[in-house]
Amino acid sequence: TDRKKLHTAPVGHVFRLRPFHVLVATGGGYAGYRKYEDYKLEQLEKRGVEVPVKLASEWEVALYKSVPTRLLSRAWGRLNQVELPTWLRKPVYSLYIWTFGVNMKEAAVEDLHHYRNLSEFFRRKLKPQARPVCCLHSVISPSDGKILNFGQVKNCEVEQVKGVTYSLESFLGPRICAEALHFSQVPAGNSFQQQLVTKEGNELYHCVIYLAPGDYHCFHSPTDWRVSHRRHFPGSLMSVNPGVARWIKELFCHNERVVLTGDWKHGFFSLTAVGATNVGSIRIYFDQDLHTNSPCYSKGSYNDFSFISNNNKEGIPMRKGEHLGEFNLGSTIVLIFEAPKDFKFHLKAGQKIRFGEALGSL
């Protein structure tokens, strides 16, 4: 008599599954499975076992892209901006340092209580002497990271990892006019690759550097050059770790990226910052108009911005080692540039490299 009434709802209303929930659960579960597969591949590589290339099918790529990585990355960015209580900062940052092997002795500020939020910690600056810039070689590493691939560009195809390629034109987008790139004369060519080579006897080279979560997150100018143009491709934010790069063909063409193009003493030069999961924010210090990971974008679209104007005929001059931009968490840098045939890389695929160390020279 004094018992309270218990109001119940039909089972169908309680356990109603919406399509979005099914999509997120399925896609998230598959992404977790891929992470486990990547871990197994890394263990095989450490043992020196050569891993055969197994590319994802179209439905696997579509399923992976169905995971709302852009939304998750924006949420992660918001979380990173939340100011942590002073007492919580050291435990949180210490866990991150232990998980990803961060060397805080190189940081300009070693005191963990100094960093108000995760975003400030990710973008920590280094001590000036921590990364000496090599003066003997013409091209240095723009960031800390792991060398995924390097070499000459052949047949308009670039290797993202050994055995897996992507289209040079799809990655950089349509050819920019010679005036925008500040070239006095661009020889006509039958292929997109030939159109990028501005001097007779030169070749086109590339280098791919993967930044892990524990790496220094700023990137710098790899040489003395002039930035004439910026092209921003909105897109997916799939993981770019070596396992996924080996699995998804043209991964870098699917993902959001910012392409900076210009010229150096040997001709064409470009640096591309490729976004990834939880790295929706790509910042270029001299480009205040750039806004990445926007909620709305048209598939396959891109937007251009020229740094050449009536008041500025030279573009943006960059000195070797100068601060250029930053990621949140980690991602990938791709260099594509023109150089004489005797240009040589001083690298090994898979090696760890630090900002300021030599990539190659003549």
Side-chain angles (χ1 to χ4, degrees):
T1 54
D2 295 329
R3 293 176 185 171
K4 295 181 180 179
K5 292 183 179 180
L6 177 64
H7 296 278
T8 61
V11 174
H13 290 287
V14 176
F15 296 102
R16 181 179 294 170
L17 293 175
R18 300 182 185 277
F20 177 76
H21 299 155
V22 174
L23 193 64
V24 171
T26 306
Y30 191 75
Y33 165 74
R34 288 307 315 172
K35 286 285 187 182
Y36 173 69
E37 290 293 312
D38 295 341
Y39 171 77
K40 291 198 298 184
L41 289 175
E42 287 178 6
Q43 297 305 308
L44 290 173
E45 285 183 343
K46 287 180 180 178
R47 285 187 253 161
V49 179
E50 187 171 346
V51 181
V53 174
K54 184 181 179 182
L55 294 177
S57 61
E58 290 186 8
W59 72 265
E60 287 179 307
V61 175
L63 181 59
Y64 190 1
K65 292 176 76 171
S66 71
V67 180
T69 52
R70 294 179 63 84
L71 178 62
L72 293 173
S73 296
R74 284 194 294 274
W76 177 253
R78 295 277 182 89
L79 180 63
N80 284 356
Q81 298 294 334
V82 175
E83 185 169 342
L84 297 176
T86 305
W87 62 269
L88 188 59
R89 294 174 188 176
K90 188 171 183 178
V92 170
Y93 301 147
S94 296
L95 178 62
Y96 186 91
I97 290 168
W98 177 78
T99 303
F100 297 109
V102 178
N103 183 4
M104 283 302 294
K105 291 183 179 180
E106 297 177 332
V109 180
E110 296 184 40
D111 182 12
L112 298 180
H113 296 100
H114 169 80
Y115 303 100
R116 294 174 297 175
N117 52 48
L118 283 166
S119 183
E120 285 189 2
F121 179 71
F122 293 149
R123 294 181 284 106
R124 64 193 176 276
K125 297 298 186 289
L126 299 181
K127 295 173 181 175
Q129 67 274 20
R131 296 289 187 276
V133 175
C134 178
C135 299
L136 300 177
H137 298 274
S138 53
V139 184
I140 62 168
S141 176
S143 66
D144 289 6
K146 178 181 180 180
I147 301 295
L148 294 190
N149 216 307
F150 62 92
Q152 282 190 21
V153 177
K154 298 179 180 179
N155 302 320
C156 294
E157 292 283 321
V158 186
E159 281 194 318
Q160 59 190 30
V161 294
K162 186 178 180 180
V164 182
T165 64
Y166 56 91
S167 164
L168 179 64
E169 186 170 5
S170 297
F171 182 69
L172 295 179
R175 179 76 171 95
I176 303 164
C177 66
E179 290 77 11
L181 287 179
H182 201 72
F183 294 152
S184 57
Q185 183 180 2
V186 180
N190 296 326
S191 70
F192 182 80
Q193 179 178 336
Q194 290 173 328
Q195 293 175 33
L196 295 181
V197 178
T198 64
K199 298 180 180 179
E200 188 176 353
N202 282 2
E203 297 287 348
L204 209 59
Y205 297 87
H206 74 99
C207 182
V208 184
I209 305 170
Y210 166 67
L211 288 75
D215 288 326
Y216 168 55
H217 294 85
C218 296
F219 51 93
H220 301 245
S221 176
T223 191
D224 296 333
W225 65 308
R226 293 176 296 182
V227 184
S228 305
H229 188 271
R230 178 259 290 162
R231 176 169 285 163
H232 172 215
F233 290 86
S236 301
L237 288 173
M238 295 184 283
S239 172
V240 293
N241 72 52
V244 177
R246 188 183 295 107
W247 180 56
I248 297 181
K249 184 177 174 63
E250 298 203 330
L251 171 64
F252 299 153
C253 298
H254 289 294
N255 272 16
E256 181 159 13
R257 59 198 182 278
V258 177
V259 183
L260 300 178
T261 52
D263 63 296
W264 70 318
K265 60 184 179 181
H266 299 297
F268 174 81
F269 198 97
S270 73
L271 181 148
T272 302
V274 183
T277 308
N278 295 336
V279 195
S281 174
I282 301 171
R283 183 184 173 194
I284 304 298
Y285 294 138
F286 57 75
D287 190 353
Q288 302 302 317
D289 296 322
L290 175 65
H291 301 285
T292 56
N293 197 9
S294 173
C296 299
Y297 74 97
S298 300
K299 185 178 180 181
S301 66
Y302 61 86
N303 56 76
D304 288 337
F305 184 86
S306 177
F307 298 108
I308 302 292
S309 64
N310 292 331
N311 298 326
N312 180 11
K313 301 291 185 181
E314 299 298 320
I316 308 295
M318 297 297 301
R319 303 295 297 174
K320 185 166 65 173
E322 186 177 351
H323 277 85
L324 182 54
E326 65 189 26
F327 292 112
N328 275 331
L329 200 60
S331 195
T332 297
I333 295 286
V334 180
L335 301 179
I336 298 176
F337 57 93
E338 174 185 0
K341 292 183 178 180
D342 56 350
F343 181 86
K344 292 184 179 179
F345 285 101
H346 304 287
L347 302 171
K348 292 181 180 179
Q351 79 171 73
K352 292 288 291 182
I353 198 166
R354 304 202 302 177
F355 155 63
E357 294 179 347
L359 283 186
S361 62
L362 298 170

